[in-house]
Amino acid sequence: SAVISQKPSRDICQRGTSLTIQCQVDSQVTMMFWYRQQPGQSLTLIATANQGSEATYESGFVIDKFPISRPNLTFSTLTVSNLSPEDSSIYLCSVEEGATRANEQFFGPGTRLTVL
Amino acid sequence: RKEVEQDPGPFNVPEGATVAFNCTYSNSASQSFFWYRQDCRKEPKLLMSVYSSGNEDGRFTAQLNRASQYISLLIRDSKLSDSATYLCVVNRGYSSASKIIFGSGTRLSIRP
């Protein structure tokens, strides 16, 4: 399976600032995704990062708050803007592997964000 | 009602025991099913896909019951290292992550 790295692994940020998270994959992948996992909760999909076009956002998530870049098939960034304590969470990128409909997802190690 | 529901646990069982979890899903159009494992402060990792005919991987057996809309995970001869949260994942559509729904997880703790 693909090897996925994320930077930073954790950060503590002040309210009102922004954090950009990087996700690097060791192979070219078509589909890259960004998830949020709030404390004690399961994963929620934020958006699908599309190469060469704008990201596709899920209900409740908007581009102004979570701008995403996908400059090539191995890299994506997620920015969490205008931070508030409610943004404290783990942010995970993932890739989808397999050409069949039963695609399986593999996750990066996550970025733990704490907003003060 | 959540689209994918799991008993949050925790399940606390002795080493060597057999333990089973169920996960129910509400969308009958769901196409594919998975079990993921998540250790504390780690990312989820795919444990196994769940096929209609059921599948086994070592001590782990997964089954799908489409009629009753649930999937199950059975762990035999449990080890201390099996302690983790097990996430049920359901894909409502074809090749689209926006249709993937994660359950909230079942916590399993294996005691010596």
Short mmCIF file of all heavy atoms in Angstrom, two decimals, chain A residues 18-74:
data_model
loop_
_atom_site.label_atom_id
_atom_site.label_comp_id
_atom_site.label_asym_id
_atom_site.label_seq_id
_atom_site.Cartn_x
_atom_site.Cartn_y
_atom_site.Cartn_z
N SER A 18 -3.84 30.58 11.14
CA SER A 18 -4.14 29.48 10.22
C SER A 18 -3.03 28.43 10.31
O SER A 18 -1.89 28.76 10.68
CB SER A 18 -4.24 29.99 8.78
OG SER A 18 -5.29 30.91 8.64
N LEU A 19 -3.36 27.23 9.97
CA LEU A 19 -2.37 26.14 9.91
C LEU A 19 -2.51 25.42 8.58
O LEU A 19 -3.63 25.06 8.18
CB LEU A 19 -2.59 25.15 11.05
CG LEU A 19 -1.65 23.93 11.02
CD1 LEU A 19 -0.22 24.35 11.35
CD2 LEU A 19 -2.11 22.83 11.98
N THR A 20 -1.39 25.22 7.92
CA THR A 20 -1.39 24.44 6.68
C THR A 20 -0.74 23.09 6.93
O THR A 20 0.37 23.01 7.46
CB THR A 20 -0.65 25.19 5.56
OG1 THR A 20 -1.39 26.38 5.25
CG2 THR A 20 -0.57 24.33 4.30
N ILE A 21 -1.44 22.05 6.56
CA ILE A 21 -0.99 20.68 6.75
C ILE A 21 -0.62 20.10 5.39
O ILE A 21 -1.37 20.26 4.41
CB ILE A 21 -2.10 19.83 7.38
CG1 ILE A 21 -2.56 20.46 8.71
CG2 ILE A 21 -1.64 18.39 7.60
CD1 ILE A 21 -3.86 19.89 9.24
N GLN A 22 0.51 19.44 5.33
CA GLN A 22 0.97 18.84 4.09
C GLN A 22 0.79 17.34 4.11
O GLN A 22 1.01 16.70 5.15
CB GLN A 22 2.45 19.17 3.87
CG GLN A 22 2.75 20.63 3.76
CD GLN A 22 4.23 20.90 3.56
OE1 GLN A 22 5.03 19.98 3.38
NE2 GLN A 22 4.60 22.16 3.58
N CYS A 23 0.45 16.79 2.99
CA CYS A 23 0.30 15.34 2.85
C CYS A 23 1.08 14.89 1.61
O CYS A 23 0.84 15.41 0.51
CB CYS A 23 -1.17 14.97 2.71
SG CYS A 23 -1.47 13.21 2.50
N GLN A 24 2.00 13.98 1.81
CA GLN A 24 2.86 13.48 0.73
C GLN A 24 2.68 11.98 0.60
O GLN A 24 2.72 11.25 1.60
CB GLN A 24 4.33 13.79 1.04
CG GLN A 24 5.31 13.33 -0.02
CD GLN A 24 5.30 14.23 -1.25
OE1 GLN A 24 5.43 15.44 -1.14
NE2 GLN A 24 5.14 13.64 -2.42
N VAL A 25 2.48 11.51 -0.62
CA VAL A 25 2.32 10.09 -0.90
C VAL A 25 3.49 9.62 -1.74
O VAL A 25 3.99 10.37 -2.59
CB VAL A 25 1.00 9.82 -1.65
CG1 VAL A 25 0.71 8.34 -1.74
CG2 VAL A 25 -0.16 10.54 -0.99
N ASP A 26 3.92 8.39 -1.53
CA ASP A 26 5.12 7.91 -2.23
C ASP A 26 4.82 7.35 -3.62
O ASP A 26 5.71 6.84 -4.28
CB ASP A 26 5.84 6.86 -1.39
CG ASP A 26 5.07 5.55 -1.28
OD1 ASP A 26 3.85 5.55 -1.56
OD2 ASP A 26 5.67 4.54 -0.92
N SER A 27 3.57 7.47 -4.06
CA SER A 27 3.21 7.03 -5.39
C SER A 27 2.10 7.93 -5.91
O SER A 27 1.45 8.63 -5.13
CB SER A 27 2.76 5.57 -5.37
OG SER A 27 1.65 5.41 -4.50
N GLN A 28 1.90 7.90 -7.20
CA GLN A 28 0.84 8.74 -7.78
C GLN A 28 -0.53 8.12 -7.49
O GLN A 28 -0.73 6.94 -7.75
CB GLN A 28 1.06 8.90 -9.28
CG GLN A 28 2.32 9.69 -9.62
CD GLN A 28 2.43 9.97 -11.11
OE1 GLN A 28 1.83 9.30 -11.93
NE2 GLN A 28 3.21 10.98 -11.46
N VAL A 29 -1.41 8.92 -6.98
CA VAL A 29 -2.76 8.45 -6.67
C VAL A 29 -3.77 9.44 -7.23
O VAL A 29 -3.54 10.64 -7.23
CB VAL A 29 -2.99 8.27 -5.15
CG1 VAL A 29 -2.14 7.13 -4.61
CG2 VAL A 29 -2.70 9.55 -4.39
N THR A 30 -4.87 8.92 -7.66
CA THR A 30 -5.90 9.80 -8.23
C THR A 30 -6.67 10.51 -7.12
O THR A 30 -6.91 11.70 -7.18
CB THR A 30 -6.87 8.97 -9.09
OG1 THR A 30 -6.11 8.29 -10.09
CG2 THR A 30 -7.90 9.87 -9.75
N MET A 31 -7.06 9.73 -6.12
CA MET A 31 -7.96 10.27 -5.11
C MET A 31 -7.19 10.51 -3.80
O MET A 31 -6.57 9.62 -3.26
CB MET A 31 -9.10 9.29 -4.82
CG MET A 31 -9.81 8.77 -6.07
SD MET A 31 -11.07 9.88 -6.67
CE MET A 31 -12.41 9.56 -5.53
N MET A 32 -7.27 11.74 -3.32
CA MET A 32 -6.75 12.08 -2.00
C MET A 32 -7.86 12.77 -1.23
O MET A 32 -8.64 13.54 -1.80
CB MET A 32 -5.53 13.00 -2.09
CG MET A 32 -4.29 12.32 -2.64
SD MET A 32 -2.86 13.43 -2.70
CE MET A 32 -2.36 13.46 -0.99
N PHE A 33 -7.90 12.50 0.07
CA PHE A 33 -9.00 13.00 0.89
C PHE A 33 -8.48 13.58 2.19
O PHE A 33 -7.44 13.17 2.70
CB PHE A 33 -9.98 11.86 1.23
CG PHE A 33 -10.36 11.05 0.02
CD1 PHE A 33 -9.72 9.85 -0.25
CD2 PHE A 33 -11.34 11.49 -0.84
CE1 PHE A 33 -10.05 9.12 -1.36
CE2 PHE A 33 -11.68 10.75 -1.96
CZ PHE A 33 -11.02 9.56 -2.22
N TRP A 34 -9.26 14.49 2.73
CA TRP A 34 -8.97 15.06 4.04
C TRP A 34 -10.11 14.79 4.99
O TRP A 34 -11.28 15.03 4.65
CB TRP A 34 -8.73 16.56 3.92
CG TRP A 34 -7.44 16.90 3.27
CD1 TRP A 34 -7.22 17.23 1.96
CD2 TRP A 34 -6.15 16.90 3.88
NE1 TRP A 34 -5.89 17.46 1.74
CE2 TRP A 34 -5.20 17.26 2.90
CE3 TRP A 34 -5.68 16.64 5.19
CZ2 TRP A 34 -3.84 17.37 3.17
CZ3 TRP A 34 -4.33 16.75 5.46
CH2 TRP A 34 -3.42 17.11 4.46
N TYR A 35 -9.74 14.27 6.17
CA TYR A 35 -10.72 13.94 7.21
C TYR A 35 -10.40 14.71 8.48
O TYR A 35 -9.26 15.11 8.72
CB TYR A 35 -10.65 12.45 7.56
CG TYR A 35 -11.29 11.52 6.56
CD1 TYR A 35 -10.58 11.08 5.44
CD2 TYR A 35 -12.59 11.06 6.73
CE1 TYR A 35 -11.15 10.21 4.53
CE2 TYR A 35 -13.17 10.18 5.83
CZ TYR A 35 -12.45 9.76 4.73
OH TYR A 35 -13.01 8.88 3.84
N ARG A 36 -11.40 14.82 9.30
CA ARG A 36 -11.23 15.37 10.65
C ARG A 36 -11.74 14.34 11.64
O ARG A 36 -12.78 13.70 11.41
CB ARG A 36 -12.03 16.68 10.79
CG ARG A 36 -11.93 17.31 12.15
CD ARG A 36 -12.62 18.66 12.18
NE ARG A 36 -14.06 18.55 12.17
CZ ARG A 36 -14.87 19.60 12.11
NH1 ARG A 36 -14.37 20.83 12.02
NH2 ARG A 36 -16.17 19.43 12.12
N GLN A 37 -11.00 14.19 12.72
CA GLN A 37 -11.45 13.33 13.80
C GLN A 37 -11.38 14.12 15.10
O GLN A 37 -10.30 14.35 15.65
CB GLN A 37 -10.60 12.06 13.90
CG GLN A 37 -11.16 11.06 14.91
CD GLN A 37 -10.44 9.73 14.87
OE1 GLN A 37 -9.26 9.64 14.52
NE2 GLN A 37 -11.14 8.66 15.24
N GLN A 38 -12.52 14.53 15.57
CA GLN A 38 -12.57 15.30 16.81
C GLN A 38 -12.45 14.36 17.99
O GLN A 38 -12.71 13.16 17.87
CB GLN A 38 -13.86 16.12 16.84
CG GLN A 38 -13.85 17.20 15.75
CD GLN A 38 -15.11 18.02 15.70
OE1 GLN A 38 -16.20 17.50 15.57
NE2 GLN A 38 -14.94 19.34 15.77
N PRO A 39 -12.05 14.89 19.13
CA PRO A 39 -11.79 14.02 20.29
C PRO A 39 -12.95 13.09 20.60
O PRO A 39 -14.09 13.52 20.72
CB PRO A 39 -11.57 15.05 21.42
CG PRO A 39 -11.07 16.27 20.72
CD PRO A 39 -11.77 16.30 19.40
N GLY A 40 -12.65 11.81 20.67
CA GLY A 40 -13.65 10.81 21.02
C GLY A 40 -14.66 10.51 19.92
O GLY A 40 -15.63 9.78 20.15
N GLN A 41 -14.44 11.05 18.74
CA GLN A 41 -15.39 10.88 17.65
C GLN A 41 -14.79 10.04 16.54
O GLN A 41 -13.58 9.76 16.52
CB GLN A 41 -15.77 12.25 17.07
CG GLN A 41 -16.28 13.25 18.08
CD GLN A 41 -17.69 12.96 18.50
OE1 GLN A 41 -18.54 12.63 17.69
NE2 GLN A 41 -17.95 13.09 19.79
N SER A 42 -15.63 9.67 15.61
CA SER A 42 -15.11 8.97 14.44
C SER A 42 -14.70 9.98 13.37
O SER A 42 -14.67 11.18 13.61
CB SER A 42 -16.18 8.01 13.90
OG SER A 42 -15.60 7.14 12.95
N LEU A 43 -14.39 9.48 12.21
CA LEU A 43 -13.86 10.34 11.15
C LEU A 43 -14.98 10.98 10.34
O LEU A 43 -15.98 10.35 10.03
CB LEU A 43 -12.98 9.52 10.20
CG LEU A 43 -11.59 9.17 10.70
CD1 LEU A 43 -11.63 8.05 11.71
CD2 LEU A 43 -10.69 8.81 9.54
N THR A 44 -14.76 12.23 9.98
CA THR A 44 -15.68 12.96 9.12
C THR A 44 -14.92 13.47 7.91
O THR A 44 -13.87 14.12 8.07
CB THR A 44 -16.30 14.16 9.87
OG1 THR A 44 -16.99 13.69 11.04
CG2 THR A 44 -17.28 14.90 8.97
N LEU A 45 -15.43 13.18 6.74
CA LEU A 45 -14.77 13.63 5.51
C LEU A 45 -14.97 15.13 5.35
O LEU A 45 -16.12 15.61 5.40
CB LEU A 45 -15.33 12.87 4.31
CG LEU A 45 -14.73 13.21 2.95
CD1 LEU A 45 -13.26 12.80 2.89
CD2 LEU A 45 -15.51 12.52 1.83
N ILE A 46 -13.88 15.85 5.15
CA ILE A 46 -13.95 17.29 4.89
C ILE A 46 -14.13 17.53 3.40
O ILE A 46 -15.04 18.24 2.98
CB ILE A 46 -12.66 17.99 5.37
CG1 ILE A 46 -12.50 17.85 6.89
CG2 ILE A 46 -12.67 19.46 4.95
CD1 ILE A 46 -11.16 18.32 7.41
N ALA A 47 -13.23 16.93 2.61
CA ALA A 47 -13.25 17.19 1.17
C ALA A 47 -12.40 16.18 0.43
O ALA A 47 -11.55 15.51 1.00
CB ALA A 47 -12.75 18.60 0.88
N THR A 48 -12.67 16.10 -0.85
CA THR A 48 -11.86 15.32 -1.78
C THR A 48 -10.96 16.28 -2.53
O THR A 48 -11.45 17.27 -3.12
CB THR A 48 -12.76 14.56 -2.76
OG1 THR A 48 -13.64 13.71 -2.02
CG2 THR A 48 -11.94 13.73 -3.72
N ALA A 49 -9.66 16.01 -2.52
CA ALA A 49 -8.69 16.88 -3.19
C ALA A 49 -8.49 16.38 -4.60
O ALA A 49 -7.96 15.29 -4.82
CB ALA A 49 -7.37 16.88 -2.42
N ASN A 50 -8.90 17.15 -5.56
CA ASN A 50 -8.84 16.76 -6.95
C ASN A 50 -7.63 17.40 -7.61
O ASN A 50 -7.39 18.60 -7.46
CB ASN A 50 -10.11 17.21 -7.68
CG ASN A 50 -11.37 16.66 -7.03
OD1 ASN A 50 -11.49 15.47 -6.83
ND2 ASN A 50 -12.29 17.55 -6.69
N GLN A 51 -6.89 16.61 -8.36
CA GLN A 51 -5.72 17.14 -9.04
C GLN A 51 -6.15 17.94 -10.25
O GLN A 51 -6.90 17.45 -11.09
CB GLN A 51 -4.78 16.00 -9.45
CG GLN A 51 -3.37 16.44 -9.77
CD GLN A 51 -3.17 16.77 -11.23
OE1 GLN A 51 -3.82 16.18 -12.08
NE2 GLN A 51 -2.29 17.70 -11.53
N GLY A 52 -5.73 19.20 -10.29
CA GLY A 52 -6.04 20.03 -11.44
C GLY A 52 -7.37 20.74 -11.40
O GLY A 52 -7.73 21.45 -12.34
N SER A 53 -8.10 20.57 -10.33
CA SER A 53 -9.38 21.28 -10.20
C SER A 53 -9.65 21.57 -8.74
O SER A 53 -8.91 21.11 -7.86
CB SER A 53 -10.52 20.46 -10.81
OG SER A 53 -10.71 19.27 -10.09
N GLU A 54 -10.71 22.27 -8.47
CA GLU A 54 -11.02 22.62 -7.09
C GLU A 54 -11.45 21.38 -6.30
O GLU A 54 -12.03 20.45 -6.85
CB GLU A 54 -12.14 23.66 -7.06
CG GLU A 54 -11.65 25.07 -7.35
CD GLU A 54 -12.67 26.12 -6.91
OE1 GLU A 54 -13.72 25.77 -6.37
OE2 GLU A 54 -12.38 27.31 -7.14
N ALA A 55 -11.21 21.45 -5.01
CA ALA A 55 -11.62 20.36 -4.14
C ALA A 55 -13.14 20.28 -4.06
O ALA A 55 -13.85 21.28 -4.26
CB ALA A 55 -11.03 20.56 -2.75
N THR A 56 -13.62 19.10 -3.76
CA THR A 56 -15.05 18.88 -3.57
C THR A 56 -15.33 18.76 -2.08
O THR A 56 -14.83 17.84 -1.43
CB THR A 56 -15.49 17.58 -4.28
OG1 THR A 56 -15.10 17.64 -5.65
CG2 THR A 56 -16.99 17.39 -4.17
N TYR A 57 -16.12 19.67 -1.55
CA TYR A 57 -16.35 19.75 -0.10
C TYR A 57 -17.64 19.04 0.30
O TYR A 57 -18.64 19.07 -0.42
CB TYR A 57 -16.40 21.22 0.34
CG TYR A 57 -15.03 21.87 0.28
CD1 TYR A 57 -14.56 22.42 -0.91
CD2 TYR A 57 -14.20 21.90 1.40
CE1 TYR A 57 -13.30 22.98 -0.98
CE2 TYR A 57 -12.94 22.47 1.34
CZ TYR A 57 -12.50 23.00 0.13
OH TYR A 57 -11.24 23.56 0.07
N GLU A 58 -17.60 18.46 1.48
CA GLU A 58 -18.78 17.82 2.04
C GLU A 58 -19.64 18.86 2.74
O GLU A 58 -19.19 19.98 3.04
CB GLU A 58 -18.37 16.72 3.03
CG GLU A 58 -17.57 15.61 2.39
CD GLU A 58 -18.32 14.92 1.26
OE1 GLU A 58 -19.45 14.42 1.52
OE2 GLU A 58 -17.81 14.89 0.13
N SER A 59 -20.86 18.46 2.99
CA SER A 59 -21.80 19.35 3.65
C SER A 59 -21.23 19.80 4.99
O SER A 59 -20.75 18.98 5.78
CB SER A 59 -23.13 18.62 3.85
OG SER A 59 -24.03 19.40 4.58
N GLY A 60 -21.28 21.09 5.23
CA GLY A 60 -20.78 21.64 6.49
C GLY A 60 -19.35 22.13 6.42
O GLY A 60 -18.85 22.70 7.40
N PHE A 61 -18.69 21.92 5.32
CA PHE A 61 -17.30 22.37 5.15
C PHE A 61 -17.24 23.27 3.92
O PHE A 61 -17.80 22.96 2.87
CB PHE A 61 -16.36 21.18 4.98
CG PHE A 61 -16.34 20.27 6.18
CD1 PHE A 61 -17.13 19.14 6.22
CD2 PHE A 61 -15.52 20.56 7.27
CE1 PHE A 61 -17.13 18.29 7.33
CE2 PHE A 61 -15.50 19.73 8.38
CZ PHE A 61 -16.30 18.59 8.41
N VAL A 62 -16.52 24.40 4.06
CA VAL A 62 -16.45 25.36 2.97
C VAL A 62 -15.00 25.71 2.65
O VAL A 62 -14.12 25.65 3.51
CB VAL A 62 -17.24 26.65 3.30
CG1 VAL A 62 -18.72 26.34 3.40
CG2 VAL A 62 -16.73 27.30 4.57
N ILE A 63 -14.81 26.15 1.42
CA ILE A 63 -13.47 26.42 0.92
C ILE A 63 -12.80 27.56 1.68
O ILE A 63 -11.58 27.54 1.87
CB ILE A 63 -13.51 26.70 -0.60
CG1 ILE A 63 -12.10 26.79 -1.18
CG2 ILE A 63 -14.31 27.97 -0.89
CD1 ILE A 63 -12.06 26.84 -2.69
N ASP A 64 -13.56 28.56 2.11
CA ASP A 64 -12.94 29.68 2.80
C ASP A 64 -12.31 29.25 4.12
O ASP A 64 -11.30 29.81 4.54
CB ASP A 64 -13.98 30.77 3.09
CG ASP A 64 -14.40 31.49 1.81
OD1 ASP A 64 -13.72 31.31 0.78
OD2 ASP A 64 -15.41 32.21 1.84
N LYS A 65 -12.90 28.28 4.76
CA LYS A 65 -12.41 27.80 6.05
C LYS A 65 -11.33 26.73 5.85
O LYS A 65 -10.38 26.65 6.63
CB LYS A 65 -13.57 27.23 6.85
CG LYS A 65 -13.20 26.60 8.18
CD LYS A 65 -12.71 27.62 9.19
CE LYS A 65 -12.46 26.96 10.54
NZ LYS A 65 -11.92 27.94 11.53
N PHE A 66 -11.48 25.91 4.82
CA PHE A 66 -10.58 24.77 4.61
C PHE A 66 -10.05 24.76 3.18
O PHE A 66 -10.32 23.82 2.41
CB PHE A 66 -11.32 23.45 4.89
CG PHE A 66 -11.80 23.28 6.29
CD1 PHE A 66 -13.14 23.54 6.62
CD2 PHE A 66 -10.95 22.87 7.29
CE1 PHE A 66 -13.59 23.38 7.91
CE2 PHE A 66 -11.39 22.69 8.60
CZ PHE A 66 -12.72 22.96 8.90
N PRO A 67 -9.29 25.77 2.77
CA PRO A 67 -8.75 25.75 1.41
C PRO A 67 -7.79 24.57 1.22
O PRO A 67 -7.02 24.22 2.12
CB PRO A 67 -8.02 27.10 1.29
CG PRO A 67 -7.85 27.60 2.68
CD PRO A 67 -8.92 26.99 3.52
N ILE A 68 -7.86 23.97 0.06
CA ILE A 68 -7.09 22.77 -0.25
C ILE A 68 -6.34 22.99 -1.55
O ILE A 68 -6.89 23.56 -2.50
CB ILE A 68 -8.02 21.55 -0.37
CG1 ILE A 68 -8.52 21.10 1.01
CG2 ILE A 68 -7.35 20.38 -1.09
CD1 ILE A 68 -9.61 20.05 0.98
N SER A 69 -5.11 22.51 -1.59
CA SER A 69 -4.38 22.50 -2.85
C SER A 69 -4.05 21.08 -3.23
O SER A 69 -3.89 20.20 -2.36
CB SER A 69 -3.09 23.33 -2.74
OG SER A 69 -2.08 22.59 -2.06
N ARG A 70 -3.95 20.83 -4.52
CA ARG A 70 -3.55 19.50 -5.02
C ARG A 70 -2.75 19.73 -6.30
O ARG A 70 -3.26 19.54 -7.40
CB ARG A 70 -4.79 18.64 -5.29
CG ARG A 70 -4.48 17.27 -5.82
CD ARG A 70 -4.20 16.27 -4.72
NE ARG A 70 -3.55 15.08 -5.25
CZ ARG A 70 -4.18 14.03 -5.75
NH1 ARG A 70 -5.50 14.01 -5.80
NH2 ARG A 70 -3.49 13.00 -6.20
N PRO A 71 -1.51 20.15 -6.14
CA PRO A 71 -0.73 20.54 -7.33
C PRO A 71 -0.30 19.37 -8.21
O PRO A 71 -0.02 19.58 -9.39
CB PRO A 71 0.50 21.23 -6.72
CG PRO A 71 0.62 20.65 -5.35
CD PRO A 71 -0.78 20.39 -4.89
N ASN A 72 -0.22 18.18 -7.65
CA ASN A 72 0.18 17.02 -8.45
C ASN A 72 -0.41 15.75 -7.84
O ASN A 72 -1.19 15.83 -6.89
CB ASN A 72 1.71 16.94 -8.54
CG ASN A 72 2.38 16.89 -7.18
OD1 ASN A 72 2.01 16.06 -6.34
ND2 ASN A 72 3.35 17.76 -6.94
N LEU A 73 -0.03 14.62 -8.38
CA LEU A 73 -0.66 13.36 -7.99
C LEU A 73 -0.08 12.75 -6.72
O LEU A 73 -0.49 11.66 -6.32
CB LEU A 73 -0.56 12.35 -9.14
CG LEU A 73 -1.42 12.69 -10.37
CD1 LEU A 73 -1.12 11.72 -11.51
CD2 LEU A 73 -2.90 12.66 -10.03
N THR A 74 0.90 13.42 -6.12
CA THR A 74 1.50 12.86 -4.90
C THR A 74 1.41 13.79 -3.70
O THR A 74 1.92 13.47 -2.62
CB THR A 74 3.00 12.53 -5.14
OG1 THR A 74 3.71 13.76 -5.41
CG2 THR A 74 3.17 11.56 -6.30
#
